[in-house]
């Protein structure tokens, strides 16, 4: 009969001279738990202070340039002061027509961007994964890609039944190509070792897409989404200035036509703030979908 050997606690006896040395590698969670608990709030405060300092410096430079009427190749003689723009903003933000301008621009940007995201990411995954599809479809897309979205305005007016649909189409075009190209690049950048390992395990093509290729391409996908959002705003504002009757782009162009300098500056500021909020929303979604990217970024701060 075999008698079981007693099991000793790890702290009861040190390993003998002939025993192998065991090195315990701390996990990422253990390393992360050793960080100061106040690091994240301090980073948020530091970011807010840096943003406030940057915006304050911009406003101060604007104020001084207008106050002293700088005229050194760049002329500030007719530029409104920040205080004048703020006074007009207080009156306009309660105006129903101005609110409609903002609402319609947001509606157009989200609709065009949503369609571009679905089509661009889906087509980018397909073209990046399958060479035959890429060789068949990509040359035609490369012919269309250099055409600026604003050059599509006359053609889109003839193509679509209303100006509203044509503006959404131009917004879609502005966002589509950055999303498509970055998604393709992300698929092609996925580690081939991971793909071969998944194939050796006998995964289906669907599982390969959703569990290997898509997670590996996500950083490039969200880069494309951020770039696409910026180009979409450029395309939207240009389309609204040319063929729109409402929208923040039309509001800015109308203010220029009526020589309302403060409203021109206000329209530009609203465009910048709305674009910033949209890009921030994309980054927020990216951090929630890719938590490992946020952890990697915190280790490099």
């Amino acid at each position: 009969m075999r008698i079981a050997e007693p099991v000793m606690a790890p702290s009861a006896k040190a390993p003998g001279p002939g025993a192998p040395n065991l090195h315990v590698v701390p996990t990422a969670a253990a390393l992360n738990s050793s960080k100061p608990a106040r690091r994240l709030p301090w980073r948020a405060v530091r970011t807010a202070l840096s943003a406030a300092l940057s915006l304050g410096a911009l406003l101060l430079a604007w104020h001084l340039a207008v106050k002293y009427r700088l005229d050194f190749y760049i002329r500030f003689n007719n530029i409104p002061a920040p205080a004048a723009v703020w006074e007009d903003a207080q009156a306009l933000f309660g105006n129903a027509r101005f609110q409609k301008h903002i609402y319609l621009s947001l509606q157009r940007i989200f609709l065009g961007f949503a369609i571009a995201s679905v089509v661009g990411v889906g087509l980018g995954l397909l073209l990046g994964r399958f060479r035959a599809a890429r060789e068949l479809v990509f040359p035609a897309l490369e012919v269309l890609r250099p055409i600026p979205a604003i050059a599509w305005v006359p053609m889109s007016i003839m193509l679509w039944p209303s100006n509203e649909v044509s503006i959404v189409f131009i917004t879609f075009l502005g966002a589509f190509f950055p999303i498509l190209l970055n998604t393709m690049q992300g698929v092609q950048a996925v580690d081939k070792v991971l793909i071969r390992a998944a194939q050796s395990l006998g995964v289906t093509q669907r599982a390969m897409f959703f569990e290997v290729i898509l997670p590996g391409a996500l950083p490039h996908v969200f880069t494309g989404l951020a770039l696409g959002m910026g180009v979409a705003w450029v395309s939207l504002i240009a389309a609204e200035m040319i063929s729109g009757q409402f929208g923040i782009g039309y509001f800015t162009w109308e203010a220029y036509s009526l020589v309302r300098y403060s409203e021109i500056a206000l329209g530009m500021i609203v465009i910048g703030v709305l674009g910033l909020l949209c890009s921030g929303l994309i980054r927020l979604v990216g951090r929630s979908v890719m938590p490992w990217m946020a952890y990697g970024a915190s280790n490099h701060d």
Side-chain angles (χ1 to χ4, degrees), residues 17-229:
N21 293 325
L22 299 179
H23 299 279
V24 179
V25 179
T27 62
L31 292 174
N32 194 33
S33 63
S34 63
K35 296 178 182 179
R38 296 184 179 180
R39 181 177 180 182
L40 184 59
W42 165 243
R43 186 184 302 138
V45 171
R46 183 183 64 186
T47 301
L49 290 176
S50 300
L53 180 63
S54 176
L55 294 175
L58 178 62
L59 288 174
L60 179 62
W62 178 10
H63 170 75
L64 293 177
V66 173
K67 180 179 180 180
Y68 294 104
R69 301 292 178 183
L70 294 185
D71 191 357
F72 184 70
Y73 190 73
I74 301 177
R75 299 169 297 173
F76 285 85
N77 296 325
N78 296 322
I79 303 300
V85 176
W86 174 247
E87 290 178 2
D88 282 355
Q90 290 179 307
L92 280 173
F93 278 126
N95 186 286
R97 182 177 175 83
F98 185 71
Q99 293 173 0
K100 186 175 182 179
H101 285 308
I102 296 177
Y103 170 77
L104 285 178
S105 290
L106 289 174
Q107 178 180 305
R108 291 162 178 167
I109 197 75
F110 281 123
L111 182 57
F113 182 77
I115 299 172
S117 300
V118 174
V119 178
V121 172
L123 191 59
L125 290 172
L126 179 65
L127 299 185
R129 176 62 178 153
F130 299 107
R131 182 175 180 179
R134 183 166 62 251
E135 292 176 349
L136 179 64
V137 178
F138 193 65
L141 295 175
E142 277 293 278
V143 173
L144 299 175
R145 183 173 66 88
I147 303 175
I150 192 61
W152 282 91
V153 171
M155 184 65 69
S156 64
I157 293 175
M158 293 185 291
L159 282 172
W160 301 101
S162 66
N163 283 350
E164 187 68 24
V165 180
S166 65
I167 292 175
V168 173
F169 172 70
I170 293 168
T171 306
F172 158 81
L173 285 178
F176 171 70
F177 287 105
I179 296 173
L180 172 69
L181 294 178
N182 278 274
T183 302
M184 288 178 57
Q185 179 64 31
V187 173
Q188 294 171 352
V190 174
D191 194 347
K192 300 301 185 292
V193 174
L194 297 176
I195 296 177
R196 289 196 296 268
Q199 290 173 341
S200 66
L201 293 174
V203 300
T204 62
Q205 198 64 243
R206 183 178 183 278
M208 177 73 74
F209 259 99
F210 289 99
E211 298 181 20
V212 179
I213 294 176
L214 183 57
L218 275 180
H220 288 79
V221 170
F222 275 94
T223 299
L225 292 174
L227 293 174
M229 177 59 78

